[in-house]
């Protein structure tokens, strides 16, 4: 099998952890790009030196030269500023839009056949911007958020019920952040509906903790999360590179699905070798449908701010 190549733009916390996991799992050769070349080269060298111990023959380089991303199967965008305590993801919009816009143009130039996974916040708006700047087909641009939010909810439910996380199936749709939409009607623990296992008030408190999962970590650690975000991205990349067709909550461009059009928002999607191969339209309760529409309204309100960038 031909060697696969994944480029990670941004060698900060999320980018370097993602690069490490990609080579640990032997998923691909990695190009780590950062505007400060020393950081990218240093992180790549450190990761490379762990490979003999880990028994991985994946290669990794660090660079500030975008021509090195040529031939990438997947490009992951993690570059940008991160939230500080008290900052919302929207505060990041203008700063990160400039950065992500430049990067999208480089991807179009050097990796025109790649699938792009966007991580930089505010996620849904940044995925929209990448689509505008690259002109790539909609299925080749995927935002990572729902996988992380779903993992957070899963871990809190598992902790509450003292069961293994793998017994839990859940989906969080909508925007990444405060207006995310947990689909409790489709959340099960070994096929039993979670709503029958945890009383409503306690379940709502768990949902609220998942909603604020990122902020809780910022408060404790002083900077935003990166282990679970990196695991989430890598699981998506695994499904793409290995054509696993996993159904993952991710930010996808909608054209009528769930009654929404012209924006990226979190929905269940089948991830395979062509990126998003299909959007699953699951039955939602009336309340869930309303929350999803509210979430879409909030995302749409951000899009005019991208004009002129
Ligand atoms: N979607 C999600 O669920 C999710 C989860 C966690 C973090 N994030 C977002 O991911 C982004 C990165 O987070 P982080 O914790 O790794 O931040 P970080 O500050 O540790 O790293 C960002 C890196 O981007 C680099 N960078 C900035 N401009 C660049 C450019 N033009 N080209 C190349 N590199 C550039 C910086 O030098 C830095 O190394 C943030 O926007 C954060 O909000 C999203």
């Amino acid at each position: 099998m031909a060697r696969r190549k994944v480029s990670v733009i941004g060698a900060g916390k999320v980018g370097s952890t993602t690069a490490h996991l990609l080579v640990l799992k032997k998923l691909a050769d990695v190009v780590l790009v950062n505007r400060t070349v020393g950081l990218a080269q240093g992180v790549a060298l450190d990761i490379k030196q762990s490979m003999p111990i880990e028994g991985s023959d994946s290669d990794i380089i660090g660079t500030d030269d975008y021509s090195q991303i040529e031939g990438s199967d997947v490009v992951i965008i993690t570059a940008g500023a991160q939230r500080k305590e008290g900052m919302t993801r929207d505060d990041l919009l203008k700063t990160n839009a400039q950065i992500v816009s430049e990067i999208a143009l480089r991807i179009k130039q050097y990796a025109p056949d790649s699938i792009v996974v966007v991580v930089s916040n505010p996620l849904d708006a940044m995925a929209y911007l990448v689509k505008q700047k690259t002109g790539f087909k909609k299925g080749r641009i995927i935002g990572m958020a729902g996988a992380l939010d779903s993992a957070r909810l899963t871990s809190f439910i598992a902790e509450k019920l003292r069961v293994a996380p793998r017994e839990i199936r859940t989906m969080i749709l909508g925007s990444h952040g405060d207006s995310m939409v947990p689909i409790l009607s489709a959340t099960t623990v070994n096929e039993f509906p979670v709503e029958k296992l945890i009383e409503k008030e306690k379940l709502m408190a768990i949902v609220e903790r998942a909603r604020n999962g990122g902020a809780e970590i910022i408060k404790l650690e002083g900077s935003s999360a990166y282990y679970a975000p990196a695991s989430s991205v890598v699981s998506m990349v695994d499904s793409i590179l290995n054509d696993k067709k996993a159904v993952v909550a991710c930010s996808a461009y909608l054209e009528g699905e769930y009654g929404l059009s012209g924006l990226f928002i979190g929905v269940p999607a089948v991830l395979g070798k062509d990126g998003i191969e299909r959007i699953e339209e699951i039955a939602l309760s009336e309340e869930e449908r309303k929350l999803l529409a509210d979430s879409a309204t909030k995302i749409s309100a951000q899009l005019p701010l991208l004009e002129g960038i």
Side-chain angles (χ1 to χ4, degrees):
M1 193 196 293
R3 291 180 80 96
R4 276 94 56 106
K5 178 169 173 178
V6 174
S7 294
V8 181
I9 317 296
K13 287 181 143 187
V14 176
S16 55
T17 312
T18 299
H20 191 205
L21 277 179
L22 285 168
V23 295
L24 270 182
K25 291 177 178 260
K26 306 173 193 171
L27 282 174
D29 293 332
V30 173
V31 175
L32 185 59
V33 183
N34 207 77
R35 61 180 169 179
T36 42
V37 66
L39 178 67
Q41 288 177 332
V43 169
L45 202 55
D46 192 5
I47 291 175
K48 194 178 171 93
Q49 289 166 2
S50 73
M51 291 303 105
I53 300 163
E54 299 296 345
S56 169
D57 60 2
S58 292
D59 199 10
I60 177 163
I61 60 159
T63 182
D64 63 351
D65 173 7
Y66 277 87
S67 69
Q68 298 285 337
I69 73 172
E70 196 174 343
S72 297
D73 299 286
V74 177
V75 181
I76 303 166
I77 304 179
T78 74
Q82 56 160 291
R83 283 195 298 161
K84 302 276 181 301
E85 193 176 351
M87 234 176 137
T88 68
R89 290 181 178 91
D90 293 358
D91 293 335
L92 285 179
L93 192 139
K94 288 264 175 191
T95 311
N96 283 355
Q98 293 288 356
I99 295 170
V100 169
S101 167
E102 273 172 40
I103 293 167
L105 293 174
R106 302 297 189 104
I107 295 171
K108 183 181 178 180
Q109 181 181 1
Y110 291 111
D113 299 321
S114 61
I115 290 167
V116 184
V117 179
V118 183
V119 181
S120 307
N121 275 320
L123 193 268
D124 305 288
M126 293 305 110
Y128 181 89
L129 187 62
V130 171
K131 182 173 185 303
Q132 279 198 318
K133 295 290 170 185
T134 58
F136 287 2
K137 272 170 56 180
K138 59 177 183 175
R140 285 175 45 211
I141 298 160
I142 309 160
M144 185 292 287
L148 172 63
D149 291 332
S150 303
R152 284 179 172 152
L153 182 58
T154 296
S155 97
F156 294 142
I157 293 173
E159 189 178 61
K160 172 79 186 160
L161 293 174
R162 296 186 189 196
V163 299
R166 66 173 175 277
E167 300 293 332
I168 296 163
R169 290 264 174 283
T170 189
M171 265 285 151
I172 290 198
L173 309 185
S175 172
H176 181 41
D178 305 339
S179 63
M180 70 183 203
V181 184
I183 308 302
L184 295 177
S185 62
T187 300
T188 55
V189 181
N190 191 7
E191 306 199 3
F192 298 107
V194 73
E195 290 166 312
K196 293 214 159 54
L197 297 171
I198 304 177
E199 63 189 69
K200 187 156 186 186
E201 208 173 287
K202 290 192 174 134
L203 188 55
M204 287 305 129
I206 288 173
V207 166
E208 207 44 36
R209 190 170 175 205
R211 196 186 301 284
N212 297 315
E216 183 178 354
I217 289 170
I218 293 175
K219 203 163 175 201
L220 290 166
E221 198 184 321
S223 71
S224 80
Y226 50 102
Y227 289 113
S231 292
S232 306
V233 183
V234 170
S235 72
M236 290 164 66
V237 172
D238 182 22
S239 189
I240 294 166
L241 291 176
N242 293 312
D243 199 22
K244 285 189 169 172
K245 314 228 187 272
V247 182
V248 183
C250 30
S251 186
Y253 188 73
L254 299 192
E255 288 177 319
E257 300 89 347
Y258 292 95
L260 301 168
S261 286
L263 78 166
F264 276 79
I265 188 166
V267 288
V270 179
L271 294 184
K273 65 179 178 3
D274 297 320
I276 292 180
E277 299 191 345
R278 195 173 67 249
I279 290 169
E280 297 285 8
E281 287 207 63
I282 55 172
L284 300 181
S285 70
E286 202 170 314
E287 194 193 344
E288 289 162 350
R289 196 165 272 278
K290 186 184 168 305
L291 287 173
L292 189 63
D294 290 349
S295 193
T297 304
K298 288 193 179 140
I299 295 168
S300 299
Q302 293 176 338
L303 302 185
L305 301 173
L306 299 175
E307 274 165 29
I309 287 174

